[in-house]
């Protein structure tokens, strides 16, 4: 029986995310995340929806982000613990960015 040996260059593999083609693909995926988030965002004044965007530059490790930078974005995404007089939460979470990431995450 033949022995097969495989040596992986883990540094090279880790660096693949920084390759321009991979970054272009990740940028396109973030564009889809933003499009889905904007389409599904709850709208009162429109400020939250208008502040959803892809972060232009990746992190040093190649990570890409979509963000909503309205002052109240965290409350739209995660809700609040504030309740009405019956104990029901007033501001329920919408998980807009999280759901958009899930929806746009597959291969298209």
């Amino acid at each position: 029986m033949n022995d097969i040996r495989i040596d992986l260059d883990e540094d090279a593999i880790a660096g693949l995310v920084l390759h321009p083609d991979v970054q272009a693909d990740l940028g396109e995926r973030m564009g889809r995340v933003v499009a889905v988030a904007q389409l599904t965002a709850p709208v009162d004044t429109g400020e939250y929806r208008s502040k959803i965007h892809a972060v232009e530059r990746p992190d040093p490790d190649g990570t890409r982000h979509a963000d909503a930078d309205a002052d109240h974005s965290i409350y739209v995404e995660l809700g609040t613990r504030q309740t009405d007089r019956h104990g029901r939460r007033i501001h329920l979470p919408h998980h807009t960015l999280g759901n958009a990431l899930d929806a746009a995450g597959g291969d298209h």
Side-chain angles (χ1 to χ4, degrees):
M1 196 164 174
N2 294 334
D3 289 336
I4 298 174
R5 180 185 166 118
I6 299 173
D7 292 318
L8 297 177
D9 184 344
E10 293 180 17
D11 290 335
I13 293 170
L16 285 175
V17 73
L18 300 174
H19 189 279
D21 292 340
V22 174
Q23 280 299 307
D25 180 64
L26 292 174
E28 289 173 16
R29 288 172 186 257
M30 281 301 104
R32 290 196 298 267
V33 169
V34 168
V36 170
Q38 289 173 338
L39 286 171
T40 60
V43 177
D44 185 14
T45 66
E47 180 186 11
Y48 172 71
R49 180 179 58 195
S50 72
K51 299 281 185 142
I52 297 172
H53 65 280
V55 176
E56 192 66 31
R57 292 181 177 247
D59 289 351
D61 68 355
T63 303
R64 302 298 295 244
H65 299 274
D67 193 11
D69 54 13
D71 290 340
H72 62 288
S73 295
I74 190 73
Y75 306 116
V76 174
E77 188 71 12
L78 301 178
T80 67
R81 292 185 182 194
Q82 184 179 6
T83 58
D84 65 13
R85 62 187 178 97
H86 302 290
R88 295 177 298 221
R89 287 176 70 177
I90 294 173
H91 301 287
L92 296 174
H94 289 278
H95 305 293
T96 304
L97 289 172
N99 291 336
L101 186 61
D102 289 343
D107 292 329
H108 298 276

